[in-house]
């Protein structure tokens, strides 16, 4: 090695070594002190809050300036050029402090990033995945050391921190109700003023978007923005929770509140998500009512509502628990699912409902639907017969029959019942499907049509015709294969799809027997056939053909 | 100290008029009244009403669009029967761009004759950019710098 090179490396090593040890700041200060007086140092403190918007079933309630503190939000004190001097967090009530700050001009950098007490992090990004940072100039002097900073709705930054706050409450809810046993993934939120792509949750396996929650902001065309729609935010958070916990079987796709023919996995996911929002609001009312954005009216519990505002009115305002049972019924309707869950919550309590959710669906071997939730809910809580009856009745009020039908027991030829217009349930007990036997007297030479119809709650029947000696005469799964129809199986569970039909010319005058059960495909492949209900309902009829 | 901040955004402007009204009158006796009230810097509460001053019969159609350089958006489109009373058709919040033009076309069909008129109106807004403070671009950050009003 040449001498010059060696000298260079010795110099480089000395530089690197000097970087490993703290440089005496005192010397530097002393040097500065000799040139000019030291800047006065003060301790500063303050509180940061954002402006929330209250709403009710008619939309936003104007002229109500409600401020809420920023909980555990990342902040930094920075030079006026943006260089950060010290980083910190607001505390649980939005307060912050910095010590020994030389008087002068600074920027307080407020980052749209919050760390919940259980360690889960929430961040709000723009659609370019840049984290929102609000910079507020502070002039710190001996007289001015205490600051109250309001982030307003009109500034279009209040909404960023409302999203942060709502998701913070949701994570606290999960942590508190599960006693710390359940936690969701860190959450990325994407929102940008004027980004009109809608509110939705993007799963990790979707390559067209980044994992997280996208929040609608469409002020210029539809007038619909969601950054202050707590119910929409909580609904999407529930989808994030499903994804985090691998409890997400929904195929997604279009859905409306009125549809009673949805894929069971879709109606479950959407209904559960809406019920989750209502549960969080009930929990907040009990534990932290100041975080709610709904008033507490006498005789009208807005915690049960799902409200999606648009401009000065609403897109949707529906009382999930009390919505019309004649419109919102069957387990294939998302409102009926939400209503059923909230009714079960009313009959038990919030922990009973959600601990069942977190526990039951992780061990089931079928698709995640209201049925699998019910199996776990009953199995885990082992209700007394009277409680079970109450639970079943509240579901039956929405035509979800997780109970024996009125003609049970008819599980064998010996106990077969005469065909009538009874609505039959294929539910035996939780975890177990039912088999129904029906009987009919036939006359030799006459052709009969035996048919299941009005299939609801995701039913897919298999119909078999037997003689009294259990000789199989005919069988049919589907009267027609809807996948071959021009419109496909859409609407999926419209009552006609998956029905069964047998035509049979009687060779003798005798009593024949019809066996009805759920097709076995659902057990063979719950992922592909998860839309088929195990506990569906049907009716059966017989006609003489000319 | 309580600090009220104003945000810097490139499209911030203020509205000088709190409420304005313009009319469309295609023929005698029939009016459409469109009133616009600013509720925010660029949020306008728009109310549309139609009125017949006389006991005329017939039908009308009303189309209100917002045009700007970039786009044309139909705000309202209505058809109905002429009645002697004021009929409130619409009341909702809309965002009106400061460079937009509102065009309202009211057509009325009375006894087979159609009368139509279009009125153009511009929101009375004045653009008052806030004094801007340049944000330092930072990798991975969307910085919004607030300032004292």
């Amino acid at each position: 090695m040449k001498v010059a090179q060696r000298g260079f490396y010795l110099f480089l090593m000395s530089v690197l070594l000097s970087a490993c040890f703290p440089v005496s700041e005192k010397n530097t200060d002393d040097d500065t002190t000799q040139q000019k007086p030291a800047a006065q140092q003060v301790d500063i403190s303050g509180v940061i809050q954002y402006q929330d918007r209250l709403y009710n079933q008619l939309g936003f309630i104007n002229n109500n300036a409600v401020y809420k503190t920023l909980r555990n939000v990342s902040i930094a004190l920075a030079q006026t050029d943006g260089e950060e001097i010290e980083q910190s967090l607001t505390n649980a009530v939005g307060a912050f402090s910095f010590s020994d700050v030389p008087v002068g001009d600074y920027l307080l950098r407020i980052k749209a990033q919050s760390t919940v007490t259980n360690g889960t992090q929430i961040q709000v990004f723009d659609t370019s995945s840049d984290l929102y940072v609000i910079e507020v100039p502070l002039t710190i002097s001996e007289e001015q050391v205490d600051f109250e900073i309001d982030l307003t709705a009109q500034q279009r930054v209040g909404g960023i921190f409302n999203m942060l706050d709502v998701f913070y409450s949701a994570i606290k809810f999960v942590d508190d109700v599960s006693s710390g046993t359940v936690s969701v993934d860190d959450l990325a939120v994407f929102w940008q003023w004027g980004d009109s792509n809608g509110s939705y949750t993007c799963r990790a396996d979707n390559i067209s978007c980044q994992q997280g929650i996208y929040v609608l902001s469409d002020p210029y065309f539809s007038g619909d923005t969601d950054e202050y729609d707590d119910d929409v935010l909580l609904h999407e958070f529930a989808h994030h929770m499903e994804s985090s916990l691998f409890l997400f079987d929904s195929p997604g796709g279009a859905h409306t509140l009125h549809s009673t023919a949805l894929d069971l996995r879709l109606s479950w996911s959407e209904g559960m998500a809406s019920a989750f929002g209502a549960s969080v609001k009930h929990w907040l009312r009990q534990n932290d009512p100041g975080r709610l954005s709904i008033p507490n009216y006498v005789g009208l519990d807005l915690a049960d509502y799902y409200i999606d505002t648009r401009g000065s009115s609403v897109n949707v305002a529906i009382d999930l628990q009390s919505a019309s049972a004649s419109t919102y019924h069957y387990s294939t309707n998302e409102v009926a699912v939400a209503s059923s869950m909230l009714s079960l919550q009313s009959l038990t309590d919030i922990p009973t409902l959600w601990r069942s959710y977190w526990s039951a669906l992780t061990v089931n071997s079928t698709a995640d639907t209201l049925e699998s939730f019910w199996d776990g809910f009953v199995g885990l809580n082992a209700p007394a017969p009277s409680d079970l009856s109450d639970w079943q009745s509240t579901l039956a009020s929405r035509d979800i029959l997780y109970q024996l039908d009125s003609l049970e027991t008819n599980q064998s030829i010996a106990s077969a019942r005469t065909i009538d217009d009874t609505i039959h349930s294929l539910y035996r007990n939780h975890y177990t499907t039912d088999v129904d036997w029906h009987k009919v007297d036939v006359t030799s030479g006459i052709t009969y049509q035996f048919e299941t119809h009005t299939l609801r709650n995701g039913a897919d029947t298999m119909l078999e015709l037997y003689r009294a000696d259990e000789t199989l005469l005919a069988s049919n799964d589907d009267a027609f294969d809807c996948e071959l129809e021009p419109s496909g199986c859409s609407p999926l569970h419209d009552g006609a799809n998956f029905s069964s039909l047998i035509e049979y010319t009687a060779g003798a005058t005798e009593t024949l027997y019809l066996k009805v059960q759920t097709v076995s495909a659902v057990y063979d492949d719950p992922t592909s056939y998860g839309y088929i209900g195990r506990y569906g309902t049907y009716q059966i009829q017989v006609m003489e053909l000319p | 100290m309580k600090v009220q901040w104003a945000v810097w955004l490139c499209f911030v402007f203020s509205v000088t008029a709190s409420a304005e009204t313009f009319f469309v009158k295609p023929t005698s006796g029939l009016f459409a009244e469109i009133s616009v009230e600013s509720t925010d810097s660029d949020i306008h509460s728009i109310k549309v009403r139609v009125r017949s001053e006389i006991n005329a019969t017939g039908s009308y159609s009303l189309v209100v669009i917002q045009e700007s350089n970039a786009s044309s958006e139909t705000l309202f489109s209505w058809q109905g029967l002429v009645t002697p009373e004021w009929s409130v058709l619409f009341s909702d919040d809309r965002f009106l761009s400061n460079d937009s033009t509102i065009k309202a076309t009211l057509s009325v069909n009375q006894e087979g004759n159609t009368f139509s008129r279009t009125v153009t109106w511009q929101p009375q807004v004045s653009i008052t950019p806030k004094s801007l403070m340049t944000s330092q671009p930072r990798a991975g950050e969307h910085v919004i710098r607030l300032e004292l009003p």
Side-chain angles (χ1 to χ4, degrees):
Chain A
M1 184 180 289
K2 293 179 180 177
V3 175
Q5 274 185 320
R6 187 181 302 153
F8 171 76
Y9 285 113
L10 285 171
F11 168 76
L12 185 61
M13 285 180 66
S14 69
V15 170
L16 291 172
L17 283 170
S18 69
C20 297
F21 299 100
V23 175
S24 170
E25 295 181 1
K26 189 170 184 299
N27 291 338
T28 307
D29 290 345
D30 286 346
D31 293 343
T32 307
T33 306
Q34 290 171 3
Q35 295 169 9
K36 60 181 182 180
Q40 191 72 34
Q41 294 187 336
V42 294
D43 295 340
I44 69 165
S45 61
V47 65
I48 311 172
Q49 50 191 9
Y50 77 94
Q51 186 184 11
D52 195 8
R53 299 186 71 184
L54 298 185
Y55 61 89
N56 63 16
Q57 75 279 17
L58 302 177
F60 286 117
I61 306 168
N62 292 322
N63 306 318
N64 272 285
V66 177
Y67 285 88
K68 296 177 179 176
T69 53
L70 269 57
R71 293 180 281 182
N72 294 4
V73 167
S74 298
I75 59 172
L77 193 64
Q79 307 276 16
T80 52
D81 63 1
E83 183 184 349
E84 294 184 2
I85 304 168
E86 188 174 354
Q87 298 177 337
S88 184
L89 290 172
T90 61
N91 67 12
V93 292
F96 69 92
S97 63
F98 292 101
S99 300
D100 302 327
V101 181
V103 298
D105 291 330
Y106 295 89
L107 290 173
L108 181 65
R109 288 166 51 82
I110 307 164
K111 305 178 184 182
Q113 173 176 296
S114 184
T115 305
V116 188
T117 46
N118 70 349
T120 307
Q121 191 176 65
I122 317 161
Q123 294 174 297
V124 184
F125 301 97
D126 67 12
T127 51
S128 299
S129 301
D130 290 334
L131 182 74
Y132 282 104
V133 177
I134 313 303
E135 290 185 345
V136 178
L138 297 183
T139 298
I140 297 171
S141 64
E142 289 183 68
E143 295 76 29
Q144 185 57 64
V145 294
D146 192 26
F147 299 89
E148 180 179 324
I149 297 165
D150 294 341
L151 306 172
T152 69
Q154 191 174 4
Q155 293 165 341
R156 297 171 182 164
V157 294
I160 295 171
F161 292 94
N162 183 63
M163 291 185 282
L164 212 55
D165 194 65
V166 169
F167 294 133
Y168 191 104
S169 292
I171 292 169
K172 285 280 287 180
F173 170 87
V174 173
D175 186 53
D176 183 273
V177 175
S178 73
S179 299
T181 61
V182 176
S183 61
V184 300
D185 292 342
D186 289 346
L187 173 60
V189 183
F190 300 94
W191 172 90
Q192 189 160 315
W193 183 266
D195 178 60
S196 58
N197 286 327
S199 292
Y200 57 95
T201 302
C202 180
R203 295 173 59 187
D205 57 357
N206 189 339
I207 60 172
S208 64
C209 50
Q210 296 192 63
Q211 183 179 9
I213 294 175
Y214 287 74
V215 180
L216 170 71
S217 172
D218 186 23
Y220 297 112
F221 295 99
S222 68
D224 191 3
T225 63
D226 285 347
E227 64 269 20
Y228 279 107
D229 286 342
D230 293 6
D231 298 348
V232 176
L233 300 175
L234 290 170
H235 179 104
E236 295 304 331
F237 179 86
H239 288 319
H240 171 71
M241 176 178 69
E242 287 179 303
S243 184
S244 297
L245 303 176
F246 301 100
L247 302 177
F248 197 106
D249 282 342
S250 172
H255 56 96
T256 66
L257 295 180
H258 287 87
S259 176
T260 57
L262 295 177
D263 185 313
L264 282 171
R265 299 166 298 181
L266 178 60
S267 61
W268 160 252
S269 177
E270 300 302 330
M272 180 283 299
S274 296
F276 176 85
S279 291
V280 172
K281 289 185 289 181
H282 279 288
W283 176 80
L284 282 174
R285 180 156 284 153
Q286 295 168 8
N287 296 280
D288 195 359
R291 293 286 162 187
L292 282 169
S293 302
I294 49 174
N296 193 7
Y297 294 136
V298 175
L300 176 65
D301 192 351
L302 290 175
D304 282 334
Y305 271 70
Y306 179 89
I307 297 169
D308 178 9
T309 67
R310 183 178 64 82
S312 61
S313 58
V314 292
N315 277 337
V316 177
I318 185 168
D319 184 341
L320 293 169
Q321 191 161 182
S322 304
S324 166
S326 59
T327 301
Y328 305 103
H329 54 164
Y330 308 132
S331 56
T332 47
N333 172 259
E334 61 181 273
V335 176
V337 169
S339 176
S340 297
M341 292 191 74
L342 294 175
S343 295
L344 292 173
Q345 177 178 280
S346 296
L347 292 171
T348 56
D349 52 37
I350 290 173
T352 300
L353 185 82
W354 290 101
R355 288 174 187 171
S356 300
Y357 168 79
W358 292 316
S359 300
L361 295 183
T362 57
V363 297
N364 73 310
S365 59
T366 63
D368 292 335
T369 67
L370 182 63
E371 293 181 343
S372 45
F373 169 76
W374 171 262
D375 289 346
F377 186 70
V378 176
L380 288 169
N381 296 298
S386 60
D387 290 335
L388 178 60
S389 177
D390 289 343
W391 297 358
Q392 290 173 322
S393 294
T394 199
L395 267 61
S397 70
R398 297 202 175 263
D399 298 325
I400 301 168
L401 302 182
Y402 294 167
Q403 57 184 286
L404 301 179
D405 61 60
S406 60
L407 289 186
E408 297 291 348
T409 311
N410 59 341
Q411 273 93 40
S412 65
I413 279 185
S415 60
R417 301 284 187 152
T418 302
I419 289 175
D420 64 12
D421 59 358
T422 296
I423 297 173
H424 296 276
S425 164
L426 289 167
Y427 176 91
R428 181 74 181 147
N429 56 46
H430 64 289
Y431 298 117
T432 311
T433 60
D434 191 24
V435 175
D436 289 334
W437 285 87
H438 309 273
K439 62 184 178 182
V440 59
D441 294 331
V442 298
T443 302
S444 177
I446 294 180
T447 300
Y448 295 89
Q449 178 175 294
F450 308 104
E451 180 184 22
T452 59
H453 66 96
T454 317
L455 275 63
R456 293 298 184 185
N457 295 296
D460 182 352
T461 55
M462 170 64 79
L463 182 62
E464 295 173 332
L465 181 66
Y466 289 89
R467 280 215 165 87
D469 61 1
E470 298 198 25
T471 302
L472 178 64
L473 299 174
S475 67
N476 179 254
D477 179 3
D478 294 327
F480 63 94
D481 189 343
C482 59
E483 291 185 353
L484 302 178
E485 298 296 311
S487 61
C489 299
S490 180
L492 187 64
H493 295 296
D494 60 357
N497 289 332
F498 313 116
S499 63
S500 307
L501 184 147
I502 292 175
E503 284 186 15
Y504 177 76
T505 301
T509 298
E510 60 185 327
T511 299
L512 297 180
Y513 296 86
L514 290 152
K515 181 183 180 183
V516 181
Q517 58 188 329
T518 299
V519 293
S520 60
V522 64
Y523 307 111
D524 297 337
D525 190 349
T527 302
S528 298
Y529 295 97
Y531 55 82
I532 298 299
R534 291 171 292 137
Y535 308 145
T537 54
Y538 71 96
Q539 291 174 270
I540 188 168
Q541 65 183 9
V542 56
M543 290 186 295
E544 292 183 13
L545 297 181
Chain B
M1 181 177 75
K2 189 169 180 74
V3 184
Q4 286 288 348
W5 304 100
V7 66
W8 166 64
L9 289 169
C10 61
F11 43 82
V12 165
F13 61 91
S14 62
V15 181
T16 55
S18 59
E20 297 177 58
T21 301
F22 69 102
F23 295 90
V24 190
K25 185 179 181 183
T27 183
S28 62
L30 187 70
F31 295 88
E33 178 196 81
I34 296 127
S35 60
V36 184
E37 181 178 357
S38 63
T39 59
D40 197 350
S41 59
D42 56 356
I43 304 172
H44 293 63
S45 176
I46 302 178
K47 185 178 292 183
V48 180
R49 304 195 298 176
V50 173
R51 180 190 179 194
S52 170
E53 283 191 331
I54 57 177
N55 286 327
T57 58
S59 61
Y60 71 85
S61 66
L62 175 68
V63 178
V64 182
I65 64 174
Q66 176 180 213
E67 287 185 348
S68 67
N69 292 334
S71 63
S72 175
E73 176 196 5
T74 300
L75 296 175
F76 325 104
S77 177
W78 256 283
Q79 293 181 319
L81 295 175
V82 174
T83 63
E85 295 85 21
W86 277 113
S87 174
V88 176
L89 299 178
F90 188 88
S91 178
D92 202 354
D93 284 353
R94 281 290 187 271
F95 286 79
L96 300 183
S97 303
N98 62 295
D99 61 346
S100 70
T101 298
I102 306 298
K103 285 186 177 179
T105 301
L106 180 64
S107 301
V108 60
N109 189 307
Q110 292 177 316
E111 298 175 346
N113 298 313
T114 299
F115 305 92
S116 182
R117 188 174 182 200
T118 298
V119 169
T120 300
W121 179 82
Q122 282 193 298
Q124 297 300 299
V125 299
S126 65
I127 301 171
T128 311
K130 307 293 183 185
S131 58
L132 304 181
M133 297 177 67
T134 305
S135 296
Q136 299 295 320
R138 286 173 174 272
E141 290 186 351
H142 180 136
V143 179
I144 300 173
R145 187 167 296 186
L146 308 183
E147 59 170 318
L148 284 166

